[in-house]
Amino acid sequence: MVKGNEDSESVYSGSEMLYFFMLEKGRMTVDTKKNEVILSIKNVSKSFPGVRALDDVSVAFSRGTVHGVVGENGAGKSTLMKILSGIYTKDAGTVVFDGEEIEHTTPVQSLKRGLSIIYQEFNLVNTLTAGENIFLGRYAELKGMRNIHRKARALLDSIGSTINTNKLVGDLSAAEKQMVEITKALSFDSKLIIMDEPSSSLTADELKRLFVIIDDLRKKGVTIIYISHKLDEIFQLCDMVTIIRDGKIIDTKSIEKLTRSDMIAKMIGREIENEYPERSRCVGETIMEVRDIRTRKLKDISFELKKGEILGFVGLVGAGRTEIVRAIYGADKAKELKIFINEKEVKIKNPRDGKRESIGLLPEDRKLEGLVLPFSVQANITMSSLEGITKFGFIRKAKEKDIAIRQIKNLSIKTPSPNTKAKTLSGGNQQKCIMGRWLEIDPDILILDEPTRGIDVGTKYEIYLLVKKIAEKGGSVIMISSELPEVLAMSNRVLTICEGRISGEFNPEIDSAHDIMDAAIG
């Protein structure tokens, strides 16, 4: 819960505009309905071919609270939310929202009832302005573009946002897009807003701002369902929390009655003594030397990577971390770059060259750059192995299936079959598909860019064990993460990146997190 924030006075005075907007539309404040249940779900079930996604789920959400929903990837969180928003139809059970039983609904009908969902991948049109996105499809209702921008400006002001309503959404930052999504939900007079991993692309300052907005909405009587794998956020922000595992509600409690270890145990069905495995200690001789990377953003980046080392990159969003590894792998062109592998200079101009030099890259955006979502799990896992399973230009299907099944078993990928489309898998299982792709060909150097973003704590631990195993077998890992504890716990050495330069080198076992962040911030 956000309390005593020094910026709160200006935020709350701006929110008076939101109050008048609600009043104009006949919305009541929550003062007299503090403990009223706004959403009741009873005995809801949902099945897909080969999967029981939800099994007799019952839970209630109170008006004017922030209610966290946590669980492993594939636990059923997204399925439940898609039923509420009208994307899926439940097989059984009842849903009562604001006193009305909802039997069949559509996303548009849910919005009009006052139930909105903000997905991790924003549902915005990049070629339209912020104002047009906020009131998308309601041009005639608002009688022209002038009214659209006037009302959009009032709503943005109400949450303290200075976004220009005439600016194209495609030119906005992730945090600004988040604000547009929230404003769009408010434009429908939403009584309940579902936020799915809202902080995955936000900086610390942007997250702080989001928390203030959420706290303000709570005070106005709006219910927030907050889905996140970041347990620190759940404990800081939520009043209640519901834990889902294997399609079933395991527990619903006040946040004060749960400890972090209790929550993790209930999420994954077993105790984890530590959230990170013991650090790998297999560092050997230098395997790769990078000299003088120069691009429009990067300035004279030089460093060494050692055999068996996990090298962490720490920096703010936009500091240049991803640009460094993309240049090394050949995904981005550099004005200047020299790479030496095992003391021999190599030329890497594209990803094919990178793979040839035994470098693998798990990209930051798994959906856009890591996977071909309409393809099967099998096809996505074997993409880097095609040379070994192709004969006369044709893929040998039996060998392809063998590889897929091997990695599905090795990584415990939850999928009905190897032929299931990758787009239907949870985020954690999609990430495992990419990991399996590279583990199959066993590269000497594996680059992991945000490998656990949007992934539950149980799957995170499995990925940490995989990374450690790679290092212990002599592989070298470059690991980029926005979660500082993750980098410090896993890395043998940390480089800080600030404004396109390496600003420091640290030993995470000796140097403090404060000193490392100071160097990252510059």
Side-chain angles (χ1 to χ4, degrees), residues 35-74:
N35 299 314
E36 179 186 344
V37 171
I38 182 73
L39 173 65
S40 174
I41 299 165
K42 293 183 180 178
N43 310 118
V44 167
S45 296
K46 177 68 178 178
S47 295
F48 300 100
V51 178
R52 180 82 160 174
L54 294 175
D55 188 2
D56 200 32
V57 165
S58 296
V59 62
F61 300 88
S62 297
R63 195 185 297 270
T65 61
V66 179
H67 194 128
V69 176
V70 299
E72 292 190 276
N73 291 106

Side-chain angles (χ1 to χ4, degrees), residues 302-322:
S302 299
F303 65 91
E304 294 180 353
L305 176 67
K306 300 182 182 298
K307 188 177 179 65
E309 180 181 35
I310 300 175
L311 176 63
F313 282 5
V314 172
L316 301 179
V317 174
R321 302 168 305 172
T322 295

Side-chain angles (χ1 to χ4, degrees), residues 44-48 53-54 78-93 95 102-107 109:
V44 167
S45 296
K46 177 68 178 178
S47 295
F48 300 100
L54 294 175
S78 295
T79 300
L80 179 58
M81 299 310 148
K82 287 177 180 178
I83 287 173
L84 296 178
S85 63
I87 293 174
Y88 291 162
T89 302
K90 63 187 185 314
D91 295 337
V95 175
I102 310 300
E103 185 57 38
H104 300 288
T105 189
T106 67
Q109 289 171 342

Side-chain angles (χ1 to χ4, degrees), residues 337-339 345-350 353-354 356-357:
L337 167 63
K338 288 186 178 181
I339 299 176
E345 185 172 3
V346 297
K347 299 294 183 182
I348 299 177
K349 297 181 179 180
N350 53 56
D353 293 341
R356 186 194 64 232
E357 299 298 339

